[in-house]
Amino acid sequence: MTWKILITDGFEDSGIKALISNGFVVDVLKMDSEQLSHELPNYDGIIVRSATKVRSELISSCPNLKFIARAGVGMDNIDVDFARSKGIEVLNTPASSSRSVAEIALGHMLCLTRGLHRSNRELAGKDSFSKLKKELSNSNELQGKTLFLVGLGRIGRELAKMAIGLEMKVIASDPFIDKLSIEMQLQDQTILVPIPLVKLEYGLQLADYISLHSPYTGKALLDASNLSQIKNSAYIINTSRGENIDEEALLLALHEKRIAGAGLDVYQNEPNIRPELLNHPQISVSPHIGASTFEAQQRIAEEMVEKIIALRK
């Protein structure tokens, strides 16, 4: 029997072609939740990104559904446990976009450190040139600074490699890891660099940069209490989930100069982002594009197609 697959949030053409060539019927349709509730019962599988929500009510109305696939890492938009309790496979592609997300986290670190985000917004002529040159002339370097990784999954480990290459000090917190060393290539040699693991509260106090790489568990990782422990010279980077930072508390901490700045690729109410975040001179922003590189999307499509084909066998 031929499986019908619905794709709602976009997918690489190479992946669509691969599915079709392997005998799947594929429809690419953007639809709202009401339309989806009418259409999804006609399909055997659905491929989503982060925009489409696949909740228990929708899952219950789809007795023919064999899989729900998230073309990416986080699955906060899917009721995973409920789906699996119904015998439905839930797939994602955790390995494919790690490098891309780690790179954008590093990009925000560099922007904030050298004021590039401000330069791109404010540099408009002679007067702004002189003003910015003066204000940004005392910026710092990453070398020797301490990066605190909150979460040491694939993305956190990729960023750790980059930071070590830049001669930063790397520490981390992860409740699921007891010990970790990062493999680094030095010419023809592989060396192991141990990553000190510390408690969240201790890491926040030590860090010059704090980068979040944990799923949202129902409570912000950085709330008003945690933000009060951070050095006033520290920067926060979030490429994980918008809900992992209390945005109100973040803005207050910036207003009171209790932290130096933040780099955000994710937000609580995307795409309805607070103007105060978008326009803040101490915040470097991007529109949730951490995994949106050509290379990552190709890898995501390849990994997802392989998993769906294996599931059908």
Side-chain angles (χ1 to χ4, degrees):
M1 184 178 69
T2 301
W3 283 10
K4 290 182 64 180
I5 299 174
L6 176 64
I7 299 174
T8 59
D9 298 334
F11 198 56
E12 280 296 302
D13 286 343
S14 60
I16 295 171
K17 291 175 182 176
L19 288 169
I20 293 171
S21 68
N22 279 277
F24 295 94
V25 174
V26 180
D27 290 330
V28 182
L29 300 169
K30 185 69 177 177
M31 56 185 68
D32 59 29
S33 57
E34 184 176 349
Q35 290 174 303
L36 187 61
S37 65
H38 290 299
E39 294 294 333
L40 191 55
N42 300 315
Y43 290 87
D44 299 282
I46 181 172
I47 300 175
V48 304
R49 293 191 188 278
S50 57
T52 299
K53 312 299 181 187
V54 188
R55 300 302 183 199
S56 56
E57 298 83 2
L58 177 61
I59 295 167
S60 296
S61 68
C62 301
N64 299 320
L65 203 60
K66 298 175 178 64
F67 72 85
I68 302 166
R70 163 71 162 94
V73 182
M75 297 192 289
D76 301 348
N77 55 318
I78 302 168
D79 284 345
V80 176
D81 292 340
F82 183 82
R84 287 174 175 162
S85 74
K86 297 293 184 180
I88 299 169
E89 292 286 341
V90 183
L91 312 172
N92 69 339
T93 54
S96 300
S97 58
S98 302
R99 174 79 188 195
S100 299
V101 179
E103 283 189 0
I104 205 167
L106 179 60
H108 279 296
M109 289 167 59
L110 289 164
C111 280
L112 290 162
T113 302
R114 299 303 304 271
L116 299 181
H117 62 301
R118 285 193 56 199
S119 297
N120 287 327
R121 289 172 182 167
E122 300 173 29
L123 185 56
K126 180 180 177 180
D127 291 341
S128 59
F129 183 96
S130 300
K131 176 177 179 290
L132 283 167
K133 183 176 175 65
K134 180 178 180 180
E135 292 179 0
L136 300 177
S137 61
N138 291 319
S139 59
N140 299 112
E141 299 176 355
L142 295 182
Q143 183 185 39
K145 304 301 188 298
T146 297
L147 170 63
F148 178 41
L149 298 168
V150 184
L152 264 178
R154 291 177 175 87
I155 298 169
R157 296 180 194 200
E158 282 290 337
L159 184 55
K161 290 181 184 179
M162 297 174 189
I164 292 167
L166 289 167
E167 299 182 39
M168 298 184 76
K169 302 171 186 176
V170 180
I171 59 175
S173 173
D174 193 310
F176 302 104
I177 296 176
D178 296 324
K179 182 170 66 173
L180 180 71
S181 293
I182 297 292
E183 288 188 3
M184 299 290 295
Q185 290 296 129
L186 183 62
Q187 296 180 344
D188 295 330
Q189 290 185 326
T190 299
I191 61 172
L192 293 177
V193 179
I195 303 298
L197 295 172
V198 300
K199 291 184 177 180
L200 177 66
E201 295 77 10
Y202 186 56
L204 294 177
Q205 295 170 25
L206 294 177
D208 298 300
Y209 298 83
I210 299 153
S211 192
L212 306 183
H213 302 284
S214 295
Y216 178 60
T217 59
K219 182 181 182 297
L221 284 169
L222 296 183
D223 55 17
S225 175
N226 285 336
L227 286 167
S228 68
Q229 302 176 51
I230 297 171
K231 295 192 294 188
N232 60 14
S233 58
Y235 297 97
I236 296 166
I237 312 296
N238 189 16
T239 58
S240 59
R241 285 290 175 267
E243 293 81 3
N244 275 334
I245 294 181
D246 181 331
E247 292 177 350
E248 196 71 43
L250 173 66
L251 287 166
L252 180 60
L254 287 168
H255 176 71
E256 295 178 349
K257 298 183 179 181
R258 290 186 282 109
I259 60 173
L264 305 177
D265 187 52
V266 290
Y267 311 87
Q268 288 181 2
N269 296 304
E270 298 176 17
N272 301 312
I273 305 167
R274 291 167 176 256
E276 307 98 303
L277 296 174
L278 295 176
N279 301 318
H280 201 291
Q282 292 163 267
I283 300 179
S284 173
V285 295
S286 55
H288 201 159
I289 54 171
S292 300
T293 63
F294 174 79
E295 294 86 350
Q297 296 309 310
Q298 290 287 328
R299 291 191 297 265
I300 286 170
E302 291 170 6
E303 185 180 352
M304 184 57 70
V305 169
E306 288 176 2
K307 288 187 174 184
I308 292 172
I309 291 172
L311 184 62
R312 187 180 59 177
K313 290 179 179 178

